[in-house]
């Protein structure tokens, strides 16, 4: 019996829908309560045991269980109705199969995305875990689910793929910028030169920690806690300095100036001793490789300048380390009586009977 024939039967005999509707409503109510109890128990168990697989399962079941409730209610309603056998035997299985396919596809998409998010970073050589990689994984599962569903209903996939290929050409021309960002984001994720949590700086001046890479843009959080959104196509074309590669550890330096009358050996000893002690106590400052002191840039306009070189755990640590190191050096200089220089000028005034620099007198 076709769709229109079945519709004609239902319009001519609306009473046939009364009993199925009642069965459908009762089944939905009971199944909904059972669903809430089961999911609530699973969430409580996850909170007690802090189980990550249990959390993934609970999130994956939340959506599909609604469809399973619909499948059960629809099946019981159809089977308990007085509809013609042709309607029950054709519509019932087809509706159930379609709903099952949709629910399993949704659940598989959720499970695949959660697995990538929670466990993707633990797989050696895997792509970085970003929103883009999660979306690509879920898209692959969705396409597979659609193909399997169409095949189960006996629909030929080849004509559909052909139509999609022709239509995709027009869509590609209309969405050039969007597709450019998509493929640029995929390249960024695959190349591994920019990863989530890396500190980067672009040639255009934007800098910060990479928080996410999506199909359209890359989000960067600056040290001022502002979020900078960079289109993937722009990021792939920019000159980028990654301060987290090849490792997060990086070198930093601090210049210290003293007066020209200071003892160079003493200053070098004090600076090195202060830096070594700071490496043990200042958060973010590394003891290995050990700090160093060099007489560079050396002879400056108003001071003898030294450079203290040291290593920090990551880019953002250099500011706090420099702050604490400066305070320690200043305190130590005060204890040792070392004079800190400041810009000075010696002015010679020439006039009648004025004293020359060599002690003589000028002519009137």
């Amino acid at each position: 019996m076709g769709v229109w024939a079945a519709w004609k039967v239902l319009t001519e005999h609306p009473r046939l829908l009364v009993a199925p509707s009642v069965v459908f409503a009762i089944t939905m109510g009971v199944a909904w309560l059972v669903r809430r109890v089961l999911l609530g128990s699973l969430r409580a168990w996850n909170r007690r045991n802090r189980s990550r697989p249990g959390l993934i399962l609970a999130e994956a079941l939340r959506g599909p269980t609604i469809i399973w409730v619909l499948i059960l209610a629809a099946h019981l309603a159809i089977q308990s109705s007085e509809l013609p056998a042709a309607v029950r035997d054709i519509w019932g299985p087809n509706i159930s199969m379609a709903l099952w396919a949709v629910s399993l596809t949704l659940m598989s998409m959720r499970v695949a995305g959660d697995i990538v998010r929670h466990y993707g970073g633990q797989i050696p050589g895997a792509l970085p875990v970003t929103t883009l990689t999660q979306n690509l994984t879920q898209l692959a599962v969705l396409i597979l689910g659609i193909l399997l569903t169409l095949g189960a209903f006996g629909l030929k996939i080849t004509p559909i793929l052909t139509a999609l290929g022709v239509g995709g050409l027009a869509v590609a021309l209309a969405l050039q910028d969007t597709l450019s960002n998509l493929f640029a984001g995929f390249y960024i994720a695959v190349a591994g030169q920019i990863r989530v949590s890396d500190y980067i700086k672009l040639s255009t001046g934007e800098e910060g920690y990479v928080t996410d890479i999506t199909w359209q843009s890359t989000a960067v959080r600056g040290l001022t806690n502002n979020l900078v959104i960079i289109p993937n196509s722009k990021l792939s074309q920019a000159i980028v300095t990654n301060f987290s590669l090849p490792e997060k550890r990086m070198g930093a330096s601090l210049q210290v100036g003293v007066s020209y009358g200071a003892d160079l050996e003493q200053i070098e000893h004090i600076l090195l001793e202060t830096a070594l002690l700071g490496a043990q106590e200042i958060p973010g400052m590394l003891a290995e490789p050990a700090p160093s002191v060099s007489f560079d840039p050396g002879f400056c306009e108003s001071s003898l300048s030294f450079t203290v070189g040291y290593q920090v755990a990551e880019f953002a640590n250099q500011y706090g380390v420099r702050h604490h190191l400066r305070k320690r050096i200043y305190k130590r200089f005060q204890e040792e009586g070392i004079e800190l220089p400041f810009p000075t000028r010696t002015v010679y005034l020439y006039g009648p009977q004025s004293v020359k620099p060599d002690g003589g007198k000028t002519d009137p």
Side-chain angles (χ1 to χ4, degrees), residues 60-292:
L61 289 176
R62 188 171 58 180
T65 48
I66 299 177
I67 301 178
W68 295 347
V69 169
L70 289 174
I71 292 174
L72 179 61
H75 175 73
L76 293 180
I78 292 175
Q79 294 303 318
S80 63
S81 67
E82 298 179 3
L83 295 173
V87 176
R88 293 198 305 268
D89 296 340
I90 297 177
W91 281 31
N94 289 340
I95 292 175
S96 298
M97 182 180 296
L99 291 176
W100 272 111
V102 171
S103 65
L104 292 177
T105 300
L106 292 177
M107 185 177 70
S108 300
M109 289 174 59
R110 190 59 180 265
V111 170
D114 288 341
I115 289 176
V116 170
R117 181 170 69 252
H118 292 294
Y119 297 103
Q122 302 176 11
I123 302 175
L127 293 179
V129 179
T130 63
T131 300
L132 177 61
T133 54
Q134 294 178 45
N135 290 341
L136 290 176
T137 302
Q138 292 178 328
L139 179 62
V141 174
L142 175 62
I143 293 175
L144 180 61
I146 292 175
L147 293 179
L148 292 177
T149 302
L150 294 177
F153 281 100
L155 298 176
K156 293 184 178 181
I157 302 175
T158 304
I160 298 176
L161 294 179
T162 303
L164 289 176
V166 175
L169 208 51
V171 172
L173 293 175
L175 301 176
Q176 291 185 34
D177 293 338
T178 301
L179 292 177
S180 174
N181 286 322
L182 172 62
F183 288 112
F186 182 72
Y187 167 75
I188 292 171
V190 171
Q193 297 174 339
I194 299 176
R195 307 165 302 179
V196 173
S197 78
D198 283 357
Y199 193 95
I200 64 172
K201 182 175 182 179
L202 277 65
S203 55
T204 51
E206 297 84 0
E207 62 179 292
Y209 287 99
V210 178
T211 59
D212 196 12
I213 301 174
T214 68
W215 61 272
Q216 186 176 18
S217 61
T218 297
V220 174
R221 178 176 56 83
L223 295 179
T224 55
N225 210 32
N226 297 322
L227 199 63
V228 181
I229 308 299
I230 306 171
N232 289 331
S233 59
K234 301 295 183 183
L235 182 60
S236 64
Q237 297 173 4
I239 299 175
V240 181
T241 302
N242 191 333
F243 292 96
S244 299
L245 288 177
E247 55 184 346
K248 288 191 174 183
R249 184 192 71 186
M250 61 170 289
S253 62
L254 171 65
Q255 285 194 9
V256 180
V258 295
S259 63
Y260 265 88
D263 184 343
L264 296 182
E265 297 299 330
Q266 181 190 17
I267 299 301
E268 183 177 357
H269 174 74
I270 291 174
L271 291 177
L272 185 59
E273 189 178 71
T274 305
L276 289 173
L277 183 60
Q280 303 294 332
E281 299 176 352
I282 299 176
M285 186 174 179
L286 302 179
E288 292 293 337
S292 62

